[in-house]
């Protein structure tokens, strides 16, 4: 019972990025556009990095007996990749918001305002 609970708890950090990636994939399937592609790429890379940090990084560190300097080098590289993924997702989200606000503004401008 203890090992089942610990296995479930070790999966918890992957759940939120997995949900975001799933939502981005669904959005990409429904409306293939630049913002959907950017958001899917950003969230996919973030999910991969999260899996890397949760499962593979401890195994790699233990198997190769890495020094703290080498670990920091790998973490810096992964951090830069994560930053680029975050920028991709943020750019896609920003484009989506701008396009949505423009559409809503056009719809609101079509109806005359009453002066009651």
């Amino acid at each position: 019972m203890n090992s089942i609970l610990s296995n479930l708890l070790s999966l918890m950090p992957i759940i939120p990025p997995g949900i975001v990636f799933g939502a981005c994939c669904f959005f990409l399937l429904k409306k293939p556009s630049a913002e959907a592609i950017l958001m899917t790429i950003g969230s996919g890379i973030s999910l991969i990095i999260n899996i890397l940090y949760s499962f593979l990084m401890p195994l790699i560190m233990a198997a190769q007996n890495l020094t703290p300097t080498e670990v920091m080098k790998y973490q810096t590289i992964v951090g830069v990749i994560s930053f680029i993924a975050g920028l991709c997702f943020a750019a896609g989200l920003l484009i989506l918001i701008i396009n949505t606000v423009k559409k809503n503004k056009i719809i609101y401008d079509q109806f005359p305002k009453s002066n009651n």
Side-chain angles (χ1 to χ4, degrees):
M1 183 66 173
N2 233 356
S3 65
I4 295 172
L5 184 61
S6 65
N7 287 337
L8 287 176
L9 287 176
S10 69
L11 292 176
M12 287 190 64
I14 297 172
I15 293 171
I19 292 171
V20 172
F21 180 68
C24 289
C25 288
F26 179 74
F27 179 55
L28 181 63
L29 289 174
K30 292 296 179 181
K31 185 182 175 207
S33 57
E35 60 265 20
I37 292 169
L38 284 170
M39 289 171 56
T40 304
I41 289 171
S43 63
I45 293 172
S46 294
L47 178 63
I48 291 169
I49 288 173
N50 208 322
I51 291 170
L52 178 79
Y53 267 117
S54 296
F55 297 110
L56 297 178
M57 197 62 152
L59 293 175
I60 292 170
M61 287 173 28
Q64 294 185 357
N65 295 329
L66 299 176
T67 64
T69 307
E70 292 171 329
V71 171
M72 285 184 63
K73 184 172 39 172
Y74 288 128
Q75 287 181 339
T76 302
I77 293 169
V78 172
V80 169
I81 295 170
S82 179
F83 177 73
I84 293 169
L87 284 179
C88 285
F89 184 84
L93 184 62
L94 183 64
I95 294 169
L96 176 66
I97 290 170
I98 289 170
N99 290 342
T100 304
V101 168
K102 280 183 184 177
K103 284 181 187 176
N104 287 340
K105 188 175 182 182
I106 292 170
I107 291 171
Y108 288 132
D109 289 343
Q110 291 178 354
F111 299 107
K113 294 182 179 156
S114 63
N115 294 331
N116 290 342

